[in-house]
Amino acid sequence: MPNELRRGQVVNLVLATTAFAITFWAWNLIGPLAGSYTRQLGLSPPQTSLLVAIPVLVGSLGRIPVGVLTDKLGGRLMFAVVCFVTIVPVLGVGWSDSYGWLLLWGFLLGLGGTSFAVGIPFVNAWYRPERRGFATGVFGMGMGGTAVSAFLTPRLVEWLGRAQTHVLMAVLLAVMGVVMLLVSRDSPEWRPATAPALPRMREAVKIKATWQCAFLYAVCFGGFVAFSTYLPTLLQVVYGFTQTGAGLRDAGFSMAAVLARPVGGALSDRIGATRVLLVSFAGTAIMAVVLAFEPPAEIPAGLCFVLTALFLGLGTGGVFALVAKLVEPSRVGTVTGLVGAAGGLGGYFPPLVMGVVYSVAHAYTIGYLLLALTALGALLYTRKAFTSAAPTGDGPAPR
């Protein structure tokens, strides 16, 4: 390994993970405050669900063009761009006083969620193939930005006020953008894509692994996003927690998934991503069935939520270890954008479904059972598609 590559790995991995965490904090500013918005504006459960889910939409679909641009411009520049652009909707949400304006700025707030499509190719280029599962797993710990948001955002609003909290977030984004420009750098082995964007996207779409990983990521990362954004609302409705109490427990859920992600990546390097994904989906399905019975708060319910987060986190690490093995490096950014978009969209619809389910049945049982069936379907597909491909189940997918 060239000395230049070895020297830059740790610094750039840490910077990328930090930028990912800060942009994800910004992306999740609405969810932890959903209870107060509901009370202040008199929102129905479906309206609250739409407000919570709307940032996920742009954060999902926006990953496609952002992934393409990262292949062309590099992660250093694109991280800075995402940080700077996200400042505008952060301030807009902070000063909004109506449901319509919150929806508009919340929609644009999704720009912060596109940073994922920047970080995966940026980090991949710094590491050899046999270490990319570990590297992308560590980078994925930036998902902890949602935990930071769940824990700190309600408290900062209590201490400083809503507008001032959003100004603080804007300052953090500005500082992070400047740091990425001045300190980070693209890997010496990275080469900008020279082919036009649309042909590259068409080529990525033709790769079977793109669709396979997109489906799997929609289940595990989508499940994480859906829970981390909607869990504060669910805990307040079902278990009667305060906004800060629900935020604290949501932070615990998010941190469990964050810590499990690098474990999933490292295990994928050792035993194969397929085995990791099978464990992830099986565990998620079992926990969803248990939660469908609405067990009592704290030990039964809290333990089930944490275990669900652990299983989903393992899966998110496993999927991108699979991407690193199945997709050539020059296409990773474009494929990551498509797979990341699928993961984000997987987190967009469940909160909407949960809101409708609760407004009709006054319980979340149907929503949990749908999650269990989806995880079971992903398990069966993973077993069929990958276990016969190679001894570890991670052989090249047909293209």
Side-chain angles (χ1 to χ4, degrees):
M1 181 188 297
N3 288 334
E4 187 180 3
L5 193 66
R6 186 182 297 110
R7 285 196 301 266
Q9 286 179 338
V10 173
V11 170
N12 285 282
L13 179 57
V14 169
L15 288 173
T17 304
T18 304
F20 183 32
I22 290 174
T23 52
F24 253 45
W25 180 356
W27 190 34
N28 191 40
L29 279 174
I30 289 179
L33 303 178
S36 62
Y37 290 134
T38 299
R39 291 186 292 273
Q40 291 170 11
L41 303 176
L43 305 181
S44 65
Q47 285 178 313
T48 301
S49 299
L50 178 61
L51 181 61
V52 168
I54 199 68
V56 179
L57 185 61
V58 173
S60 307
L61 298 179
R63 292 176 183 181
I64 298 174
V66 167
V68 172
L69 287 171
T70 300
D71 280 344
K72 188 175 183 65
L73 302 176
R76 168 182 167 272
L77 177 59
M78 286 304 299
F79 261 127
V81 168
V82 171
C83 287
F84 294 144
V85 170
T86 306
I87 290 171
V88 177
V90 163
L91 294 175
V93 169
W95 267 277
S96 295
D97 56 3
S98 71
Y99 184 64
W101 280 110
L102 278 173
L103 284 180
L104 173 64
W105 291 116
F107 180 80
L108 297 176
L109 192 64
L111 293 168
T114 64
S115 63
F116 178 79
V118 178
I120 291 293
F122 177 80
V123 168
N124 262 348
W126 277 104
Y127 285 82
R128 297 301 187 195
E130 64 272 12
R131 293 284 288 166
R132 285 174 182 162
F134 162 78
T136 56
V138 171
F139 168 74
M141 292 181 71
M143 295 190 315
T146 60
V148 174
S149 182
F151 180 75
L152 279 183
T153 301
R155 286 164 175 77
L156 288 173
V157 169
E158 288 184 357
W159 299 336
L160 306 175
R162 181 158 66 96
Q164 292 80 357
T165 297
H166 286 70
V167 169
L168 177 61
M169 185 75 252
V171 171
L172 285 175
L173 287 166
V175 170
M176 193 70 239
V178 171
V179 168
M180 291 304 293
L181 284 176
L182 297 181
V183 183
S184 74
R185 58 193 176 94
D186 293 305
S187 168
E189 296 198 351
W190 174 77
R191 297 292 181 272
T194 56
L198 287 179
R200 280 190 287 126
M201 289 185 64
R202 283 197 295 266
E203 287 300 314
V205 168
K206 292 177 183 177
I207 299 172
K208 186 175 182 180
T210 301
W211 295 102
Q212 292 174 317
C213 294
F215 167 63
L216 300 179
Y217 202 60
V219 178
C220 53
F221 183 73
F224 164 75
V225 171
F227 266 113
S228 61
T229 56
Y230 195 73
L231 191 58
T233 300
L234 185 151
L235 292 176
Q236 291 176 72
V237 170
V238 176
Y239 296 105
F241 289 115
T242 63
Q243 182 166 274
T244 53
L248 175 62
R249 288 158 179 83
D250 187 32
F253 173 91
S254 296
M255 282 308 302
V258 166
L259 295 174
R261 182 161 186 155
V263 175
L267 284 175
S268 297
D269 288 338
R270 294 176 64 86
I271 66 173
T274 297
R275 294 191 179 113
V276 173
L277 289 167
L278 291 175
V279 171
S280 168
F281 295 133
T284 299
I286 293 170
M287 289 301 102
V289 171
V290 175
L291 288 169
F293 292 95
E294 293 191 358
E298 302 304 358
I299 298 301
L303 180 61
C304 288
F305 282 123
V306 169
L307 289 174
T308 301
L310 289 172
F311 287 125
L312 291 171
L314 287 174
T316 58
V319 170
F320 274 95
L322 203 58
V323 170
K325 289 179 172 65
L326 301 182
V327 180
E328 61 187 78
S330 63
R331 295 178 176 177
V332 166
T334 305
V335 171
T336 295
L338 294 168
V339 174
L345 286 175
Y348 173 70
F349 294 104
L352 301 179
V353 172
M354 295 294 261
V356 172
V357 163
Y358 190 82
S359 67
V360 173
H362 299 289
Y364 290 112
T365 303
I366 296 174
Y368 286 127
L369 293 179
L370 288 174
L371 172 61
L373 290 173
T374 303
L376 180 60
L379 184 152
L380 295 175
Y381 178 77
T382 301
R383 184 175 180 181
K384 179 180 179 181
F386 296 109
T387 52
S388 62
T392 60
D394 297 337
R399 300 189 176 204

